Amino acid sequence: QPPPESDSLEFHNAISYVNKIKTRFLDRPEIYRSFLEILHTYQKDQLNPKGRPFRGMSEEEVFTEVASLFHGQEDLLSEFGQFLPEA
Amino acid sequence: SYDFTPMDSSAVYVLSSMARQRRASS
């Protein structure tokens, strides 16, 4: 069982990352909104009951979508890769 | 200071649960 500190570290990292994206795309809020939509779609799929024939968005698809959204912002993309579970 | 909307907060939630899942599977 992992120690609770890891949970709060992950939470803190997630907050910093969301802040960084918000700041980076202050002039282009539609990019930030699309990023949130991708995350929500992914999360919705994760909540589907197991054993459903259609699994929805895979980790790989999430990464591909975010990569095209963050095109040219390699630091944001590589940081995103650190959150994504291995596909 | 963090000025987060509910949308932001749920993004933080999804990202941190992704990271937890990643840690659990590694």
Side-chain angles (χ1 to χ4, degrees), chain A residues 72-85:
Chain A
Q73 310 280 343
E74 298 308 321
D75 60 323
L76 290 182
L77 186 61
S78 78
E79 213 173 317
F80 181 70
Q82 292 168 25
F83 286 102
L84 206 59

Side-chain angles (χ1 to χ4, degrees), chain A residues 27-85:
Chain A
D27 296 340
R28 302 181 65 192
E30 74 279 4
I31 294 188
Y32 178 63
R33 267 201 304 273
S34 303
F35 175 70
L36 294 184
E37 275 164 26
I38 294 171
L39 283 188
H40 289 143
T41 307
Y42 173 71
Q43 183 193 32
K44 246 191 308 191
D45 291 343
Q46 295 295 302
L47 295 175
N48 279 343
K50 284 192 175 137
R52 271 178 62 131
F54 176 65
R55 198 184 154 268
M57 221 173 171
S58 70
E59 282 78 14
E60 206 178 335
E61 283 165 330
V62 173
F63 192 79
T64 307
E65 295 234 353
V66 171
S68 76
L69 194 64
F70 288 173
H71 184 69
Q73 310 280 343
E74 298 308 321
D75 60 323
L76 290 182
L77 186 61
S78 78
E79 213 173 317
F80 181 70
Q82 292 168 25
F83 286 102
L84 206 59

Side-chain angles (χ1 to χ4, degrees), chain A residues 5-23:
Chain A
E5 300 91 68
S6 317
D7 280 2
S8 56
L9 179 70
E10 278 146 10
F11 189 65
H12 176 81
N13 287 344
I15 289 175
S16 308
Y17 186 61
V18 168
N19 253 334
K20 194 189 272 190
I21 296 168
K22 273 186 95 167
T23 311

